[in-house]
Amino acid sequence: MAALNYLGVVLVLLVIIGVGVASGRRVKSAADFATGGGRSGPWLICGTIMGALVSSQASIGTAQLAFSYGISAWWFTLGSGIGCLILALGYVRPLRRSGCTTLMGVIDREYGHKVEYAGSVLSSIGIFISVLAQVVACTGLITVIFPVSTTVAAVLSVLLMTVYVVFGGAWGAGMGGIVKLVLLYVSCIAGLAAVLLLTGGLGGLEESLRTALVGTTPGAMAGIESAADLSAQYGSLIARGAAKDIGSGISLLLGVLSTQTYAQAVWSGGSDRDARRGALLAAGLIPPIGIAGIAVGLFMRGHYITQAEADALLAAGQALPEGVGVLASTIQVFPTFVVHHLPVLFAGVVLGTLLIAVVGGGAGLSLGVATILVNDIYKKVSSRFDSAAAALVATRGTILAVLAASAVIACVVPSATINDFGFLSMGLRGAVVFIPLTCALFLPGRMDRRFALLCTLGGPLGVLLGKFLGSPVDPLFIGMGIALLIACLGCAAGGARPAPERHKRA
């Protein structure tokens, strides 16, 4: 890191901090904080969605996964884009006409408080896992940018996320998301262009991979013995197996439709048309970002090895390949590329942009957790949270608590594969919310509320059991299969609607 690197980082941070403070001045009530007062236009809605969705997993995580599995790393941004498309075409109008401000509020109106409480807790856990992924990524990125310990980096991560959203809420997440969107696209285009220039095009990129991995010790460590092996691992969308990779894409799709943060963006729109256009913009803009991350990951695989691979080579009495760099962790794939292969000042701007991408993702998701807990738990437990001032304080306090807890865990697992967190988080959210929410919006009065409760509990239980038991079938399919079976039985049993007094608007 040179002085101009730091200057670029600081310039980006000053811009985002300015946006956060300016947006905070627009917050006059809890409604302004949670949904922007229902006055957002298409680009602000798009910024809110992408501010949370296009985060560490779409940039740093995609490059990290592409380093090991090539183009199959595209599933995060591809699945996200498809999810936003379905959100725009199928869910915008029903959500906005529900009269609620949380997804759990929609479920509560249809099935009662027990289902809502269970769903609120479980979906909050799912979102928290994704917040944790952002904090882990942010911690790793800060240690590349600044010579600080993991603990200090985790604290700085939380402070940045707090400034990003705690003052401005939906306004801060949306306005910051637009600024981040512009910077991120410039950074991705620059990264992709740099890869193509450095390798001489796609053919050169492929040749660098072949030279680095086919017939070499690092390649053998990765299970690559021939050009066919290289193509199967780095040139296939299902390199990790069809069930795993396609399941990951479906996890993202369902997670988008089942996450409070993205629904809040829809509710913040000034009209159905604005909300739909905002979601469509996000659907079109998200997948290309993954292509840039994949290109960076492939380039780095052709020119770098991991510290574990370097240690194995030295232990076997072999010298490190000439001209090959060593990565302490695969989380550093994208930031290391930026520092060593882009112009110095611009590299600082890109690093600042990556930092804000991660910060914005964690901040937006933590806002979603806080909104769920305040509206669907706190207000139902105590009437003192009914006032706008108390709700606003509780929301901001919950954001701080969520981020602080994430920082503590990030210090324990600093080198985790962040996209694994992302896929688990999205799958868990989808298993909890998607089927009960869809039935509440499109099949009102059809499912017995007792089965709705079993559906809400059974789906995530199936996902977790499949995950921890090492099932050969993607855990998402297990969880969704259980939830769908219970829902079908509930519809067959007939609708047992909650008593009228339990129809409380969120």
Side-chain angles (χ1 to χ4, degrees), residues 150-433:
T150 297
T151 301
V152 173
V155 173
L156 289 174
S157 300
V158 169
L159 290 176
L160 287 170
M161 291 180 187
T162 300
V163 171
Y164 190 95
V165 76
V166 80
F167 297 113
W171 280 116
M175 293 170 67
I178 292 175
V179 174
K180 188 185 81 173
L181 171 60
V182 174
L183 291 172
L184 190 59
Y185 252 84
V186 171
S187 300
C188 287
I189 292 171
L192 180 59
V195 167
L196 296 177
L197 287 172
L198 289 167
T199 59
L202 294 177
L205 181 61
E206 182 180 357
E207 180 60 30
S208 68
L209 280 173
R210 185 179 296 111
T211 301
L213 297 175
V214 176
T216 66
T217 302
M221 292 178 184
I224 296 173
E225 301 290 345
S226 65
D229 293 334
L230 180 70
S231 178
Q233 183 158 331
Y234 284 90
S236 171
L237 272 173
I238 52 173
R240 298 185 300 165
K244 184 174 183 62
D245 283 323
I246 294 174
S248 296
I250 296 174
S251 294
L252 265 295
L253 186 160
L254 296 177
V256 168
L257 299 175
S258 306
T259 299
Q260 175 63 27
T261 306
Y262 316 128
Q264 270 177 258
V266 167
W267 277 309
S268 74
S271 66
D272 289 357
R273 183 171 180 267
D274 285 345
R276 184 177 295 110
R277 288 177 62 192
L280 286 173
L281 283 170
L285 291 172
I286 291 173
I289 293 175
I291 296 175
I294 290 169
V296 169
L298 293 177
F299 173 85
M300 295 295 284
R301 178 73 272 194
H303 296 82
Y304 288 77
I305 59 176
T306 65
Q307 185 64 56
E309 290 170 336
D311 292 341
L313 286 172
L314 294 174
Q318 300 184 36
L320 298 182
E322 185 177 354
V324 172
V326 179
L327 295 170
S329 167
T330 53
I331 288 179
Q332 298 178 350
V333 167
F334 208 131
T336 300
F337 170 81
V338 172
V339 171
H340 292 286
H341 300 286
L342 292 180
V344 182
L345 179 60
F346 184 70
V349 172
V350 174
L351 285 174
T353 300
L354 290 175
L355 183 59
I356 292 304
V358 178
V359 168
L365 290 166
S366 64
L367 173 62
V369 173
T371 303
I372 290 173
L373 294 177
V374 170
N375 286 279
D376 299 325
I377 300 294
Y378 301 171
K379 288 185 178 181
K380 305 296 173 65
V381 173
S382 174
S383 60
R384 65 180 177 177
F385 295 105
D386 289 342
S387 72
L392 186 57
V393 170
T395 301
R396 286 171 165 163
T398 302
I399 289 173
L400 290 172
V402 167
L403 292 175
S406 299
V408 172
I409 299 175
C411 293
V412 179
V413 287
S415 301
T417 301
I418 56 179
N419 270 19
D420 285 344
F421 277 138
F423 292 134
L424 174 61
S425 170
M426 287 292 201
L428 187 60
R429 286 179 246 169
V432 172
V433 175

